[in-house]
Amino acid sequence: MSLIYTLLFAFCTSTVFAQPVSENELGDYLSIKDHPKAKEVNMKIKVPIGWEIEEGDRPNVVKKFTYNLNTYMILVKENMKFFSKKEIRKILSDDNFVENYINEIISGYKNAKV
């Protein structure tokens, strides 16, 4: 039986929303296909130019990206529900959901601002 996984981008610093990122151009694609932590997820994303790419330092973290005090990760974790691109776009187009989600994420950080 094949397992279903969800890809999550986790914002991980207390200042990620407080400091604007000046580097917003995208560079080359990065593929996680065949990565041992990718759990058969086959995807590629464009990495922002100027961001450092590191291997994930946790069991489900495939890659970690850092720029100054900003960090995000590719986290692949088993989930009971698979979300298609269409479903994710619909979810993320709901401004109230996105605002509540961001506020929930930053609630665990000191001095975080949106």
Side-chain angles (χ1 to χ4, degrees):
M1 179 173 143
S2 64
L3 298 174
I4 298 173
Y5 297 90
T6 299
L7 174 73
L8 301 172
F9 290 91
F11 293 92
C12 302
T13 67
S14 61
T15 57
V16 70
F17 298 104
Q19 293 192 2
V21 178
S22 60
E23 300 288 337
N24 58 7
E25 291 185 47
L26 299 177
D28 295 329
Y29 279 101
L30 172 77
S31 174
I32 64 168
K33 181 180 180 182
D34 299 326
H35 190 285
K37 294 183 182 179
K39 301 177 179 133
E40 300 180 19
V41 170
N42 178 10
M43 66 163 285
K44 62 182 180 177
I45 62 168
K46 285 190 172 187
V47 178
I49 293 173
W51 288 63
E52 184 178 342
I53 305 167
E54 302 173 45
E55 285 298 314
D57 52 2
R58 299 280 187 226
N60 297 312
V61 178
V62 180
K63 295 285 183 181
K64 184 166 90 171
F65 306 86
T66 56
Y67 178 79
N68 292 335
L69 298 175
N70 302 291
T71 302
Y72 75 91
M73 301 177 204
I74 299 176
L75 172 69
V76 180
K77 193 172 180 180
E78 186 173 357
N79 194 351
M80 297 303 292
K81 169 83 172 122
F82 176 78
F83 296 99
S84 68
K85 285 182 185 179
K86 184 178 180 180
E87 289 171 313
I88 291 296
R89 285 186 180 126
K90 183 178 178 183
I91 290 169
L92 294 178
S93 68
D94 179 346
D95 291 339
N96 289 327
F97 172 82
V98 172
E99 184 175 340
N100 290 334
Y101 183 73
I102 290 172
N103 287 330
E104 184 177 325
I105 290 173
I106 66 171
S107 68
Y109 298 104
K110 295 179 182 178
N111 303 320
K113 297 176 186 175
V114 177

